[in-house]
Amino acid sequence: MITFEQEQFVITADRIWQKAREENRLTHNPSDEELRGLVGKQPGVRKTVYGNFVAESEPTSRAAIFTKNSVDHPFGEDELRLLDHCEKALGKERLISIDRIVGNENSKTTVRLIVPERFAHVAYGGKNLFITPKGEVKKPNYHILFFADEAFETNQSKPLTEKDITIRLAMLDDGRFVKIIRNSNYIGEYKKGVFAAEDWIAKTKRGGIFLHTGCREDCLQSVCGDYRMARTLLVALSANGKTTTTCRILARKGKEKSWLIQDDGGMLMSDGSFHGFEAGGIFVKTEGVNPREQIEIFYGLLKPQTVCENVHINEDGDFDFFNFERTSNGRAVVLRRDFMHASPYIDVDKIDNLILITRGPLIPAISKLTREQAAALMVLGQAMESSAGDPTQAGQIRSEFFYDPFVAGDMAEHANIFYEIIKGIPHLNYYLINTGGIGEGEHYKDIRLEFTMAILDSLLRGGLEDWVDSPTDFQVPKAIRYVDDIYLHPEKLYSRTEFEKKQGELNKIRCESVKELGDSLHPDIRGVFSKHKVV
């Protein structure tokens, strides 16, 4: 797509906003009270006994199959027609626009969200994810626009694959970004629009790499009695345990503290620092949330400023987090101030641990990795599909490059940038954790959340110092306090012949997947799995 055509995205977004303001159809940066009033009038929205709102989005998840970006796809006449359609549709409606800062309070990056009033919950929830600019925003870096046409209503009775939806992301050479969303009012499209913009800008303009990761900071008493500070990134695909493992408090005594730094993404720099992008709120999944396992999230969901999507409400106006009649992809935006241990900052100057979260029957509950293994496993991105991505494939093991569906551009180059960055962080430790289970059939053993958190607790307190080689091709600890050894040795749940065959098949898949990126992938990454025996 030529530069002029991409510029049309910005020109159109600006023109839509200016025309609505001139015609007094625009509510710009409304107060919370005013916005709550608009959400309360939105068709289908219900108010809970806690005073917060629940909307039913259409669709109930992201619409990745209808999404294209200007880096990986040539834009042309279809996109110009989309812009014209968007401008005409929004030119007939009352609009809401919200300006926000992306990153910390000193960030110069701003995003403008534009939605029709009938999508008011998107503005309310989207507003809460980021923080308010200090002054007037004249030229936002990012624009994200939602609109709907006659197909929006008919889409509701169709499965996702048959819906009439169009989503386009324009990434301009100067760092500006525009996302147009036709026939979706799912808050996640806004959040992931900002995510995709930051993903692209991090590596092309800022010298970093954006990761689909949570970040936690723990100051815990070690096994030696001293207090140790550890900053940990937990990388995962949506609904594989990232938010839960990031948000759980490990601090229990004395001077210990556990802070939630960031839930879903940020930029890793070669000096080892990490910079978050959401300073306002947290976009959580509500499926099966309960006060025993996810107390930090549970009570945040009961706050009056929380905005929910697709969460079941009973006749009394209370939540039922275990009712998945419409979808299991219930979502909510919870303000950081409503998380009791959300840190006052979203950036840290040093990351100590990089943990990849995966699932698979042959993978130990925790493994220690080399730098090269970590890079290769990021390329592989093995995880479990969820209802947040493709509801029709939820529960299936799949691979997603860098655990990140929003990567744009050359994948080998992306992986090489990541590898060069982590090579510049000599103190960084790398681990792989399995949040699913090991074994199969009658020998299957579920890795319960309490086991995963016990493993993290031991790791961050310095209790996992003795590592031994495993037939899974990684290293595993000799023992973990509280967790049975079997969870470190999935090979014991198979006969020797069966395990070697399955491990060989897995190595072959890994090797082929990594090599698909071609010869431009750094040889240190390309050769990781080819060193192992394959069938």
Side-chain angles (χ1 to χ4, degrees):
M1 179 179 180
I2 63 174
T3 302
F4 173 77
E5 290 175 330
Q6 287 204 49
E7 186 73 22
Q8 291 304 311
F9 278 82
V10 177
I11 293 171
T12 301
D14 284 337
R15 194 162 55 218
I16 288 171
W17 188 84
Q18 292 286 357
K19 189 170 185 288
R21 186 171 68 167
E22 291 167 2
E23 296 175 355
N24 294 317
R25 294 184 291 106
L26 179 69
T27 302
H28 182 53
N29 289 328
S31 65
D32 279 357
E33 183 179 357
E34 187 176 5
L35 196 47
R36 284 177 66 86
L38 292 171
V39 174
K41 296 176 183 177
Q42 181 179 324
V45 167
R46 293 184 61 187
K47 197 172 185 179
T48 73
V49 294
Y50 308 103
N52 51 34
F53 293 108
V54 179
E56 291 189 353
S57 75
E58 166 52 44
T60 59
S61 66
R62 287 187 297 104
I65 58 176
F66 303 106
T67 304
K68 294 181 180 179
N69 68 68
S70 60
V71 174
D72 299 316
H73 304 275
F75 278 12
E77 292 299 322
D78 288 345
E79 284 65 39
L80 291 176
R81 282 193 291 270
L82 174 67
L83 291 177
D84 181 63
H85 190 22
C86 177
E87 187 167 6
K88 288 178 178 177
L90 294 182
K92 301 174 184 177
E93 300 198 53
R94 293 195 58 81
L95 306 181
I96 303 170
S97 66
I98 304 288
D99 290 341
R100 282 295 182 265
I101 294 175
V102 180
N104 63 38
E105 60 183 8
N106 298 315
S107 170
K108 303 299 183 182
T109 302
T110 55
V111 57
R112 175 168 292 167
L113 171 65
I114 301 174
V115 300
E117 277 192 0
R118 56 175 164 153
F119 291 175
H121 85 277
V122 177
Y124 191 21
K127 172 187 73 70
N128 287 350
L129 287 170
F130 305 99
I131 56 177
T132 306
K134 297 175 182 177
E136 181 184 2
V137 176
K138 295 183 178 180
K139 292 185 178 181
N141 304 86
Y142 310 150
H143 286 86
I144 300 180
L145 296 85
F146 287 71
F147 80 100
D149 56 27
E150 62 280 356
F152 182 76
E153 297 298 329
T154 58
N155 277 350
Q156 297 183 33
S157 61
K158 299 177 181 178
L160 180 63
T161 55
E162 297 177 13
K163 294 180 187 291
D164 185 4
I165 296 172
T166 310
I167 301 175
R168 293 293 181 268
L169 287 66
M171 299 166 171
L172 281 70
D173 292 338
D174 60 5
R176 288 176 296 167
F177 171 95
V178 181
K179 181 175 182 178
I180 305 290
I181 301 135
R182 170 181 164 268
N183 288 339
S184 171
N185 66 348
Y186 177 61
I187 293 174
E189 291 292 358
Y190 169 61
K191 173 195 165 66
K192 293 305 185 182
V194 180
F195 185 115
E198 290 286 283
D199 209 333
W200 176 245
I201 297 301
K203 65 181 177 182
T204 58
K205 303 294 183 184
R206 298 176 187 161
I209 195 79
F210 195 88
L211 299 176
H212 191 191
T213 183
C215 178
R216 60 180 298 144
E217 178 181 84
D218 295 275
C219 182
L220 305 175
Q221 189 173 32
S222 78
V223 292
C224 299
D226 60 326
Y227 283 84
R228 297 181 183 179
M229 177 73 76
R231 279 79 171 257
T232 303
L233 298 183
L234 295 119
V235 180
L237 200 61
S238 294
N240 277 251
K242 173 167 46 60
T243 296
T244 301
T245 52
T246 302
C247 290
R248 284 292 291 269
I249 294 173
L250 293 176
R252 294 194 297 269
K253 58 184 181 178
K255 302 175 183 178
E256 293 186 348
K257 294 183 180 66
S258 291
W259 288 114
L260 167 66
I261 303 296
Q262 194 78 152
D263 164 61
D264 197 42
M267 182 169 57
L268 179 66
M269 304 299 292
S270 58
D271 63 358
S273 63
F274 174 82
H275 304 270
F277 80 119
E278 294 175 301
I282 301 164
F283 191 55
V284 301
K285 201 169 190 293
T286 64
E287 177 185 2
V289 169
N290 65 81
R292 180 177 183 273
E293 294 186 336
Q294 297 165 303
I295 186 172
E296 302 84 3
I297 296 174
F298 180 83
Y299 284 103
L301 292 170
L302 309 186
K303 300 294 185 178
Q305 297 298 321
T306 295
V307 183
C308 301
E309 275 186 332
N310 309 315
V311 182
H312 187 83
I313 305 298
N314 62 30
E315 293 180 357
D316 297 327
D318 205 348
F319 292 115
D320 183 350
F321 298 123
F322 290 88
N323 188 316
F324 313 132
E325 183 177 346
R326 185 164 188 262
T327 178
S328 61
N329 189 40
R331 289 284 179 169
V333 178
V334 181
L335 288 169
R336 283 180 69 89
R337 68 170 184 249
D338 289 335
F339 264 70
M340 62 180 176
H341 70 302
S343 75
Y345 42 85
I346 62 170
D347 308 326
V348 293
D349 59 8
K350 177 187 177 184
I351 294 297
D352 303 288
N353 304 303
L354 178 66
I355 298 178
L356 314 185
I357 299 176
T358 190
R359 292 182 179 177
L362 305 182
I363 301 171
I366 183 170
S367 308
K368 188 174 184 178
L369 309 173
T370 65
R371 179 187 297 122
E372 289 69 31
Q373 287 174 331
L377 286 170
M378 288 291 284
V379 169
L380 185 67
Q382 187 182 59
M384 183 174 287
E385 182 59 274
S386 75
S387 54
D390 183 352
T392 65
Q393 299 297 316
Q396 299 297 312
I397 298 294
R398 72 176 178 91
S399 290
E400 183 71 62
F401 179 78
F402 266 64
Y403 302 91
D404 180 357
F406 310 98
V407 171
D410 185 277
M411 290 186 176
E413 180 184 20
H414 190 95
N416 291 343
I417 292 172
F418 171 73
Y419 185 53
E420 291 303 319
I421 286 175
I422 62 175
K423 283 203 298 183
I425 314 175
H427 65 269
L428 193 58
N429 300 304
Y430 308 92
Y431 304 97
L432 179 71
I433 64 173
N434 179 0
T435 58
I438 58 172
E440 301 167 61
E442 62 180 338
H443 299 296
Y444 175 81
K445 292 190 174 295
D446 182 40
I447 302 174
R448 301 202 302 266
L449 176 61
E450 61 187 284
F451 297 162
T452 299
M453 297 315 300
I455 289 168
L456 285 178
D457 186 83
S458 292
L459 177 68
L460 299 180
R461 293 179 188 277
L464 302 183
E465 295 182 346
D466 295 324
W467 298 82
V468 296
D469 291 336
S470 163
T472 60
D473 295 327
F474 306 126
Q475 287 192 321
V476 297
K478 282 186 176 180
I480 302 174
R481 185 180 180 185
Y482 186 75
V483 178
D484 195 296
D485 287 352
I486 190 62
Y487 292 95
L488 304 175
H489 299 284
E491 70 275 10
K492 293 182 179 180
L493 299 175
Y494 301 87
S495 69
R496 180 175 179 177
T497 301
E498 185 181 17
F499 179 80
E500 289 180 351
K501 178 182 178 182
K502 287 181 177 291
Q503 185 64 40
E505 291 170 347
L506 177 58
N507 285 340
K508 182 178 181 180
I509 292 171
R510 287 170 169 170
C511 183
E512 291 174 348
S513 297
V514 170
K515 287 186 175 180
E516 282 180 4
L517 268 65
D519 293 340
S520 60
L521 181 66
H522 196 291
D524 289 353
I525 306 173
R526 199 169 63 246
V528 168
F529 297 120
S530 62
K531 298 175 184 177
H532 304 295
K533 179 183 177 182
V534 298
V535 292

